[in-house]
């Protein structure tokens, strides 16, 4: 199967332009799985919670509903970051949308970064893996800053993920020291769709670093984007090859674990 990550620069607050770009890529990219950045419809640096509410949607009502339609029509799995409005709660979320709608779900960012704590509510549902037998693929999600917590990817791997998708708006330059290890130590594909460019709001200039990547399950790069351009990266993957966790006749990275010695 083919997987793609789309690197682009959402224009803050311009739901219409950002969504038409996203929907257009969903239709045009010839991949089974397509990943977009964090908060791809709205942009990132909200002034306050009210501004985020104005740029939010209830899952499967507006732009995410259009993505569901494309996913079902074209048989593609699509993952995109958005502001999810649950009425009384607001989440930095990603929608993981499957051709069969009953499998589609959202993930709520577990580790909130920087000023996000003043905008969004904390996740109450944690991590999940969707097992999609029609395409023989098991997918888990984290969002951006979650990469700093190895427990997040480990949890998804122990839940049976073949692929960890990471929509991102990364502002540091150190993350790709770590993400190859998340792939290697869990034997999972690890895919980051980052945005690029600057957002100058709230007296702060945030610079986003691009460099979107598709890591193979041995930690190597199958595809890597530039730091500062709109770009689609693509790789051929075989999800079922991640499931056997042994690497010689005596060692298996999951059954060799000794959790009674770990204080996590
Ligand atoms: C981040 O979590 N957007 C850095």
């Amino acid at each position: 199967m083919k997987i793609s990550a789309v690197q682009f620069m959402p224009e803050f607050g311009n739901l219409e332009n950002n969504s038409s770009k996203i929907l257009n890529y969903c239709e045009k990219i010839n991949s089974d799985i397509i990943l977009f950045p964090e908060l791809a419809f709205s942009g990132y640096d909200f002034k306050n919670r009210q501004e985020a509410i104005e740029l939010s949607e209830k899952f499967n009502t507006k732009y995410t509903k259009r993505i569901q339609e494309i996913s079902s029509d074209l048989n593609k799995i699509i993952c995109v970051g958005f502001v999810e409005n649950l009425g009384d709660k607001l989440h930095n979320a990603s929608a993981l949308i499957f051709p069969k709608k009953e499998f589609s779900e959202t993930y709520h960012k577990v580790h909130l970064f920087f000023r996000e704590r003043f905008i969004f509510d904390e996740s109450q549902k944690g991590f999940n893996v969707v097992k999609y037998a029609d395409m023989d693929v098991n997918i888990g999600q984290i969002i951006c800053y979650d990469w700093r917590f190895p427990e997040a990817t480990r949890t998804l791997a122990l839940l049976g993920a073949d692929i960890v998708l990471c929509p991102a708006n990364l502002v540091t330059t150190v993350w790709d020291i770590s993400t190859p290890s998340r792939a290697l130590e869990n034997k999972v594909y690890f895919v980051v769709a980052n945005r690029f460019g600057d957002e100058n709001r709230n007296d702060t200039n945030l610079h986003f670093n691009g460099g979107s990547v598709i890591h193979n399950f041995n930690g190597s790069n199958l595809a890597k984007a530039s730091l500062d351009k709109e770009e689609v990266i693509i790789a051929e993957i075989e999800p079922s090859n991640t499931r056997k966790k042994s690497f010689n006749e005596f060692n298996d990275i999951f059954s060799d674990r000794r959790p009674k010695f770990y204080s996590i």
Side-chain angles (χ1 to χ4, degrees), residues 244-259:
K244 198 162 97 10
K245 302 293 184 184
S246 61
F247 61 96
N248 63 37
E249 61 189 311
F250 302 117
N251 291 110
D252 178 299
I253 56 170
F254 277 13
S255 60
D256 286 347
R257 295 175 67 248
R258 307 287 306 280

Side-chain angles (χ1 to χ4, degrees), residues 27 125 148 150 177 209 219 238 242 251:
E27 281 170 356
K125 61 182 181 178
R148 283 216 191 228
I177 300 170
N209 292 307
E238 179 44 71
T242 65
N251 291 110

Side-chain angles (χ1 to χ4, degrees), residues 38 44 109 113 116 144-145 169-171:
E38 177 183 12
Y44 180 75
K109 189 172 186 177
F113 182 72
E116 289 173 28
C144 202
Y145 176 54
N169 280 191
L170 288 150
V171 290

Side-chain angles (χ1 to χ4, degrees), residues 38-39 44 92 109 111-114 116 143-147 167-172 194 208:
E38 177 183 12
L39 298 169
Y44 180 75
N92 181 340
K109 189 172 186 177
H111 305 96
L112 296 176
F113 182 72
F114 199 47
E116 289 173 28
I143 297 177
C144 202
Y145 176 54
D146 287 328
W147 71 264
N169 280 191
L170 288 150
V171 290
T172 62
N194 196 17
F208 301 95

